[in-house]
Each structure stands twice: as C-alpha cells, then as structure tokens.
Amino acid sequence: MKNITKSKLIGIVITSSLFSGCGGGTGDGGNAFQLFSPLPNNIATPINNPSTTEKNTLGQLLFWDPILSGNQDVACATCHHPAKGYADALILSQGVGGMGLGEDRIGGSLAKRNAPTILNTAFNGIHNQGPHVPEQAPMFWDNRIRSLEHQAKLPILSQEEMRGEDIAEDQIMAIVIERLEAIPEYKQLFLNAFGTSVITETLIFKAIASFERSLIANNSRFDQFLKGDSNALTAIEQEGLEEFVEVGCAECHSGPMLSDYQLHVIGTPDLTLPNGTLLTDMGAGQLDFRTPTLRNLNLTGPYMHNGIFETLEEVVQFYQQASQGENIHPSLSLQDLAPQIQQLDMGDGDGDGDGDGDGDGDGDGEGGNNAIVSFLKSLQDDQFDKTIPESVPSGLQPGGNI
Ligand code: HEC
Ligand code: HEC
C-alpha cells in the first residue's frame, strides 16, 4: 500500500466499485484491489426461510414482546431499539430486572458485552465477491454461532439478558411456547405465517430472523459514492477514505459491510466498571474478536466488544497507539497483535520514517485521524424502519420495562 500514491488509491477505490458490478468476474487485475462495494438492494434468505410479510409481522411482534423473557420484563427490543440504532447506547447491556431505555436504563443484570446493532445483520458475512450464505452468517463478537435463526435462541436462554433466575435453561423455551399457545392472536399469526398454529421453537426463530432481515440501511452516502456519485462524499470525507485505506484500516474493514468477518487480536484494553470491577473477557481467554461493521456508527456507540471507547476519536487514537504497542491490553505485547495492527502506518510524530521517500507526510497526527473520523461518520443511512408497535399480543408493554 505504501508506495501507491493518493490519486492512484482513490482511482482504485472508485474502480473497485465498477468491478463489483460485474457479477463476480475473476482473474482480472482489478479484483486484487477491490476493497469495498455498495450493499446490495436485496437480501439473501435461507433456503428454508424465505422472507414473507406475514413472517415479518409475526417476527416484529415477537421481537417487541417481553413474553419471551422469564419475568416478562425484557424483549429483544429492550437492547436493540430503533431509537438507539437497534443497539442500546450502553457500555454493557442491561437485561433482566432493569428499567428504562438506553443511557437511562438502570438496575438490569449486566450482559458480558456491548450490544451490536441488528441493522444490516441480514448482510453479516457478506464479501465483495462470492455468494452470501445467510445460513452461515457469523453472529456475536466472537462469531460463536451462525445465522440469525440460530442466534435468536441464545438471548432467551441467557440468564442476564432475558431468562432471569427463576426458570431453568432447559425449561424456558417450553414455558415461552406454552405462553404463546395460550394467546389466540399468536396462534392466528403463526397460522398466517407458516400455515400451522402449532407453535414451535423453530418457527419462533424463523419469524424473528425474517423480521431482523427487514431492518436494513443500505443507502449511505458511501454507497452512493461507490455507485458512481463522486459528490456524495465531501472533500474531507474522501480524504478520510484515502487515509483509511492508506494507513491500513481496510486490511480488516473492507467489503460491503467494512468487515472481513474474521477474528483478530487487536489489543482492546479491559473495561473497568464504575464500581471498580475489571471486566475480564480477555482475561477469560477471549483475545480475538470479530471485525465489526463500521456502518451506522453514529448511532451505535460506545464502541468495541466491551464498549470501552465512547467516541470514534478515541477509537482512532487507540489504533494509533496500538500500532506502536502502547496502551494495549496489559497481558499483550505488540508481537501478540494481529500483523495488520502492527503494520498500521499512522505515524506518531516519532519520525522513524518508512524510507520510501515519497515525503507526502500524510497519515501522521491529528489531521489524518480527523479525516478518518469524518469518513466513518459518512457510513450512515438513517432511512431504516423505526416502527414501534403500539401493542403486542400478550398485552404487555412493547419493548419491556423501557
Ligand atoms: C439484555 C440485552 C439484550 C437482549 C434482551 C437481547 N440482546 Fe441481542 N445482543 C446483546 C448483546 C450484549 C450482544 C452481543 C453478545 C456477544 O457478542 O457475546 C447481542 C448480539 C445480538 C446479535 C448478533 C449481532 C451480530 O452482528 O453479531 C443478534 C442478531 C441479536 N443480538 C439479536 C437479538 C434477538 C433476536 C433478541 C431477542 C430474542 C436479543 N438479541 C435480545 C444484547 C441483548
Ligand atoms: C486487524 C484487523 C483490524 C484493523 C487493521 C483495524 N480494525 Fe477496527 N476493529 C477490528 C476488530 C477486531 C474490532 C473489534 C475489537 C474489540 O471489540 O475489542 C474493531 C473495532 C473497530 C471499531 C469499533 C466499531 C464498533 O462498532 O464498536 C472502529 C470504529 C474501528 N474498528 C475502526 C478502525 C479504523 C479507523 C482502523 C484503522 C486505523 C481500524 N479499525 C483497523 C479489526 C481491525
């Protein structure tokens, strides 16, 4: 990357968008440089779970209905709320027993991690080329499960998030199904969606996943730029894009979601909770995390698996320091970090020079970082479905105690 000049880079970025339109052609030199492509207009759905309006209607109500939680106080939407970009704006999520929405939420059992957004999870696992297989879509910060259908069960089983203390893990689904079966409106909705009013786990999760796939935001100004509107990004945002590529962010944050969906050790420090407890996700042996999407970041802070950084400026500063081995997790040293982090070329005013003599001096210091942040903020599409149902079939409060 280092010996490619800026003007060539922007050419490559733009050219790559042209290549992306040509249906996965292989073997031409342009593909080697393809870094990004716009999100597609259409989502891919699993062969055994095509999306339908009826499923989405049912899935939306299930997503909002706290009936799925042990104490009927937490819904999926409690932590994945449209007013918070389908995340929750908290450092760590608060589930069972909590009250309030987002930053105002108090008293809930702490989840181990920061809630990612549900927006665009329909596209998890997508790359510039090749098929997108929703059955294999990686989920969670550690990619520990595949597909929205399989993911949806885990928050219900989780004691902190939804289940609570009173119901055993192997009982909760039977109890949830019994509750749903007792509500005629749900039986009718399952009949409409699946042709049967016999409610099963599989059908619950198919409906929720189908609804989640409807929550997309695929028309950011960056998408418009990649589709050929060169005015869609401001000058500073375009400069930020160049910096982003040039310093090496796109070594991991590439593709339509600006994620390679791989796990990497980047050295994020542990989080100290306000009460002084050190949150030791990494201490527990989890060192590598999935490259998250960089779309809609304006709505989804705080950042990282443990919500340790409040602003994008802090995140970019972290990378600048991490690439020098500074301020990283204390049990790691520079050599433990992913090679792409060690190779980040962000300068540090230390003048060690890369010897290529191009002398353009970019990438160093505040200016470059600010431009990167401006670029990150352009990856935003606010035109997503923010519907909050007025009521849910259980008669409980939509979204739980929020
Ligand atoms: C108490 C808050 C909370 C509730 C309630 C909750 N989630 Fe989450 N959700 C999280 C957290 C925290 C994570 C990240 C966990 C991890 O990576 O280990 C997450 C991750 C996810 C992901 C993965 C996204 C990705 O890109 O990897 C999906 C999808 C999701 N939740 C859907 C749901 C659904 C569906 C429900 C309801 C059945 C639900 N969540 C209920 C907090 C919550
Ligand atoms: C080695 C691959 C890699 C490189 C290179 C990389 N990142 Fe990341 N990025 C990650 C991973 C992995 C995480 C999640 C880490 C965690 O949760 O602890 C992340 C998290 C982020 C986040 C937080 C997103 C969120 O929703 O919490 C932002 C913003 C970000 N990176 C921007 C950048 C920028 C800007 C650069 C270049 C300066 C960059 N990244 C370079 C892999 C990478």
Side-chain angles (χ1 to χ4, degrees), residues 128-373:
N128 285 328
Q129 260 106 33
H132 176 222
V133 185
E135 289 90 339
Q136 291 300 321
M139 296 290 153
F140 290 127
W141 284 102
D142 50 12
N143 282 350
R144 68 184 178 280
I145 198 153
R146 304 260 155 186
S147 88
L148 288 168
E149 281 77 3
H150 285 123
Q151 189 282 334
K153 185 173 179 177
L154 298 194
I156 301 177
L157 298 189
S158 156
Q159 182 180 313
E160 308 89 59
E161 290 185 15
M162 295 180 78
R163 178 167 57 88
E165 289 182 354
D166 300 334
I167 302 174
E169 196 178 309
D170 59 358
Q171 302 280 302
I172 183 73
M173 281 317 301
I175 289 175
V176 165
I177 289 170
E178 202 180 309
R179 288 178 188 161
L180 294 172
E181 287 271 5
I183 299 174
E185 191 183 343
Y186 268 125
K187 291 191 78 75
Q188 183 62 47
L189 287 161
F190 276 87
L191 186 62
N192 299 348
F194 297 107
T196 169
S197 57
V198 180
I199 299 176
T200 64
E201 272 187 31
T202 311
L203 297 185
I204 293 171
F205 300 135
K206 280 186 170 178
I208 292 176
S210 180
F211 166 65
E212 290 176 301
R213 286 195 183 92
S214 73
L215 302 175
I216 58 173
N218 57 358
N219 192 26
S220 68
R221 289 187 291 110
F222 184 55
D223 294 284
Q224 295 161 18
F225 180 78
L226 290 174
K227 288 175 186 167
D229 178 358
S230 54
N231 295 321
L233 296 184
T234 65
I236 179 91
E237 289 161 354
Q238 293 192 33
E239 189 189 324
L241 167 59
E242 289 167 34
E243 289 287 345
F244 184 86
V245 172
E246 202 163 41
V247 304
C249 306
E251 297 296 312
C252 304
H253 293 284
S254 62
M257 288 284 275
L258 295 105
S259 170
D260 60 3
Y261 287 96
Q262 301 296 308
L263 303 180
H264 302 278
V265 180
I266 75 163
T268 312
D270 279 337
L271 174 78
T272 308
L273 297 178
N275 67 8
T277 314
L278 191 68
L279 185 93
T280 55
D281 203 330
M282 294 227 207
Q286 184 74 36
L287 300 171
D288 50 352
F289 295 92
R290 178 182 85 202
T291 310
T293 181
L294 299 182
R295 288 174 173 272
N296 303 302
L297 291 170
N298 297 338
L299 302 170
T300 58
Y303 305 105
M304 304 304 197
H305 71 279
N306 55 9
I308 193 164
F309 299 127
E310 204 174 321
T311 65
L312 293 171
E313 286 78 5
E314 285 172 60
V315 175
V316 175
Q317 195 192 9
F318 159 76
Y319 280 108
Q320 184 152 21
Q321 295 177 334
S323 65
Q324 317 284 324
E326 290 162 18
N327 294 333
I328 54 175
H329 192 277
S331 66
L332 299 171
S333 62
L334 185 58
Q335 304 87 274
D336 300 320
L337 304 187
Q340 299 94 326
I341 299 295
Q342 300 181 41
Q343 285 153 21
L344 281 176
D345 184 16
M346 301 180 78
D348 194 28
D350 63 20
D352 66 5
D354 56 23
D356 64 2
D358 65 358
D360 66 355
D362 47 323
D364 59 342
E366 292 295 302
N369 291 359
N370 291 342
I372 290 177
V373 169

